[in-house]
Amino acid sequence: MGPSGRLVLCGFAVAAGSIAALAQSVISARSGLIHYVEGQVYLADQPVETKFGSFPEVKENQQLRTEDGRAEVLLTPGVFLRLGENSSFRMVTNRLIDTRLEFLSGTAIVEADDVGKDNSVTVVYKDATVHFAKKGLYRLDSDSGGLRVFEGLAEVSAGDNTAEVRDGHVIALDTLAVSRFDKNSTDALDRWSARRGEYVAMANVGAANSVRSSLFSGGGAYGTGGVYGVGGLYGMGSMYGNGCMSGGSMFNGGWYFNSSFGMYSFVPCMDGAMYSPYGYRFWNPYDVYSAFQPGYYYYPSSASATNSARAYTGTGYSVNPVRPIATRGSTGMASSSGSSSHGFAGGGSTASLSSNTVSAPMSHSAGGSVGGGGGGGHH
């Protein structure tokens, strides 16, 4: 075998090693992981019992319901389902290419940070079918029988009729009548969902950095000389290059584990900055190193941002929303009552949903309540 053949095989071996390391951090290719609970939550009528780093799954035809509690479920990569009190849904299919669930009662919020072309999330409620066509923020309420779209685009069908619902509109799921609503009118569940979105974005930094270390180190699959790296078989300038990252990459976004926080987060594809509907940044493995640079300035992407809107952190850990979102959440890290499967403890964090910066030197405590102090929670 010639030198070039040995180089290719060596590169593939390195890639396999990196992929094996990543496999330890990636959840199974199914929707329905119960990521977080607090209070009374039941899966198939059995109390959900979670421990640090261990997460049960909602399997097909199983029902997840809450009483005096709340739950967060991971669906397709980048899509979260959050149940309020006295709410329930049944998992119909849990395949990533076709995730379908039946919303049964109560209130559910869907935060869709990424809607992949190969993944699909559909919610059925009575005779209506809801498909989330774009990234955004959605809320279903069984009492009113309506779907509110805070941001994004939903396609709703009932019988032979179909309607599209856009930002700032609510649709009646029985008649498909569409009207406007006040996006600033929120309640405790909306604020809780915003805080969960904030925590997940914080966990993204460490998760993305772990992926970066696996992929881009000198011996990693994407490192110099690696199969996907600069000059590698799939790298920049090669016949297989120009993937989702400018310059070439075979990495796709997905759920990755943050071992320090004991939770999963979404790590997007390497094709530029990505922000959640709440305005928080999700770092990809290519540019996450910027978040750890001491004295790092970050310019919000808003075209109207001025020098005064720059964020600076002397600790080098900064996650910045695109815009202020005080209308969707209370200021500060508010605590939630009830038991939780995991939470952030201590008062070391400084965070504000109404500011342009979220600095997060946070500690993690298994079994603690979310937050180190402040109001919020079950109100």
Side-chain angles (χ1 to χ4, degrees), residues 58-63 90-93:
V58 184
K59 295 182 170 58
E60 290 186 352
N61 295 315
Q62 284 188 332
Q63 180 178 321
R90 182 178 67 89
M91 181 67 72
V92 179
T93 62

Side-chain angles (χ1 to χ4, degrees), residues 100-231:
R100 296 175 65 88
L101 56 92
E102 181 183 8
F103 176 56
L104 300 173
S105 63
T107 304
I109 293 177
V110 175
E111 176 189 341
D113 298 322
D114 186 35
V115 177
K117 63 180 181 179
D118 297 324
N119 298 333
S120 175
V121 176
T122 302
V123 176
V124 176
Y125 177 67
K126 295 183 178 179
D127 295 327
T129 299
V130 179
H131 176 69
F132 305 105
K134 290 185 178 181
K135 61 177 292 185
L137 188 64
Y138 309 88
R139 173 167 170 156
L140 293 127
D141 292 279
S142 64
D143 288 345
S144 63
L147 167 72
R148 282 186 272 178
V149 179
F150 287 88
E151 182 178 320
L153 172 66
E155 299 169 346
V156 183
S157 60
D160 296 329
N161 300 316
T162 302
E164 291 187 343
V165 196
R166 300 180 182 272
D167 300 19
H169 289 81
V170 57
I171 185 171
L173 296 176
D174 52 356
T175 64
L176 301 191
V178 178
S179 59
R180 298 193 64 88
F181 77 98
D182 182 6
K183 293 197 293 183
N184 295 328
S185 178
T186 59
D187 60 14
L189 182 62
D190 293 304
R191 294 188 289 273
W192 175 77
S193 179
R195 291 195 296 274
R196 288 299 307 163
E198 183 178 25
Y199 301 148
V200 170
M202 289 177 180
N204 155 266
V205 181
N209 192 54
S210 295
V211 177
R212 180 197 63 79
S213 297
S214 297
L215 295 178
F216 292 103
S217 62
Y222 292 86
T224 302
V227 173
Y228 301 107
V230 176

Side-chain angles (χ1 to χ4, degrees), residues 239-330:
M239 64 183 294
Y240 296 103
N242 301 318
C244 64
M245 180 187 74
S246 176
S249 168
M250 298 295 287
F251 175 80
N252 292 315
W255 299 118
Y256 290 86
F257 191 67
N258 183 315
S259 58
S260 297
F261 286 7
M263 61 187 290
Y264 283 94
S265 187
F266 176 61
V267 177
C269 180
M270 295 182 286
D271 59 352
M274 176 177 288
Y275 295 86
S276 76
Y278 293 114
Y280 297 108
R281 178 163 182 169
F282 283 94
W283 300 84
N284 64 53
Y286 184 74
D287 62 9
V288 70
Y289 70 93
S290 299
F292 293 92
Q293 292 182 358
Y296 174 67
Y297 279 96
Y298 177 73
Y299 292 82
S301 63
S302 170
S304 62
T306 62
N307 289 345
S308 62
R310 297 175 184 175
Y312 175 80
T313 169
T315 62
Y317 187 101
S318 180
V319 183
N320 302 289
V322 177
R323 59 192 181 281
I325 54 171
T327 56
R328 290 191 192 160
S330 58

